[in-house]
Amino acid sequence: MKIQVADITYRLLQDAPTASFVMTKRVEGDIVGVQVKGKGHQATYWIERAGPRAWDSYVNDDPEDVKRDVETPIISSKKSKENYGVKEADAAVEERNYTSEEIYDAMSSQDWENLGHASSSLVGATDDSYSLGFRAGALLEHHLLCVLQERDPNAEMSLSTKIQLNQFVQEVSETYGNAKFHNWSHANHVTTSMNKLLAVIQEGGEELVPLNSFSLVFAALVHDAGHTGMSNKILKDIDHPLSKKFDDSIPIAEKNSINIALNILFQDNFSSLRNAILPGDMDKIEFARTLFQSILITDIATPDRVKLGIERYKASQGNEDPDAGLCPLSNHISDLFDGVGLEESVKDEHPDEFVVTSSGLKRCVRNEHLMLLSDVGHLCQSWENFIKWNFRLFKELMDCYRKKLCDNPRETWVQGQIDFFDKYIIPLVERCRILFPEEFSEALLTNAMNNLKLWTIFGVQATNMMTLGVRNDEREDAVLVDLYGLGRDYLERIESKKSK
């Protein structure tokens, strides 16, 4: 009997610490892999034999050869070849794989300002679905291992949990569509931003709560799952099927993303992963509360929801018990219980978890603001990050305009970005000072102010370049080179004048 495994399992088995596997790619005639129902054509491998891993398989005469080169790109799969070209993808496949911890370390050590623009191809920006999924899986694996080791310092993550974690990430990736902005790449940028913010907080001396950190990174990854590329207003205006699922008080896209993520997590084939995350009722409460708080708040197009979030922030600065009306979950308790399989009796067993307290509100505000900042992190990073995602949002709205779903965004784009910086981004950064060391807080504000200044100078020119790029269906990378140059050339001229 031969055992066949998927590509994800193949890669995990290669890194198995105590066993060595000899595996060959399945090839029938000139066909590589098999057709898998619901997933399309997949590369698979036969396990030829297995045995204990010998220690000397890790060692050779040159210790330097044992070290992994963090400059090696992770590129594989058919999608990779489509994005990078056959030559680049085939060359990358020959490189050695990385451990999850190596990926986590490389991603966490990036500068916030240049997130995704590091020289290392291991962490550099990419739209390759496989690479993005591998990185996201590494971040989740790190934080989940921290959860397990808080419960038991000697705990290790089982192979089945690792496999299911990677399968979960893959299934989540498939719920992201082809929207120009709200897509799998955006989800990964937000996830990477969230992971970096948590690292900054930890470096500043705060002791992180592992389950909270895992839940926030998890929420960042799934926060736009199933996004249609249309705003909640458009979904309501066109009477979209999603608009009929929830009442008017519930943000459509955000609640749909929560439902999608929990529906996947609670599939039978994720039992090992689910038991690792949520072994008890208190774990379920903390996980679900963080998930709902951090995703629902991302509906920043609804003024009343933004206003309520700011009121929670103001109330959290005192020590008095806040008004119960500030609770963001009051309309979602039933869904929260159903989503993670909690019984109603839990309210009686843990009554303190379901009342609004000063300490609880502080945790809620922290969750909300970390997600809000991660979601718009590109505006508080380098000019390159800001203008890249600005262009993608512009393209997404232009798609809606072409379908006659909204007004032409070009007409208000320049002033709209200025207003967004002034009225939303800079006040958000100021509120987030309570979370971070002073030096990082100042860097956030400086980055936002620099981007505002550059946009004020080049906004009209940049918008014209974006408009032409969309109209002429130009390659995104070609348009971005010109957009990057606007800010980069200006900053170089300023620096040159200073040095004279």
Side-chain angles (χ1 to χ4, degrees), residues 181-196:
F181 179 90
H182 293 96
N183 53 34
W184 184 228
S185 294
H186 168 67
N188 274 265
H189 189 81
V190 175
T191 303
T192 305
S193 296
M194 175 66 80
N195 179 73
K196 181 62 181 180

Side-chain angles (χ1 to χ4, degrees), residues 306-322:
V306 175
K307 182 180 178 182
L308 195 59
I310 294 173
E311 289 177 5
R312 280 194 291 273
Y313 166 82
K314 292 178 179 178
S316 72
Q317 300 310 291
N319 293 315
E320 299 179 0
D321 285 342

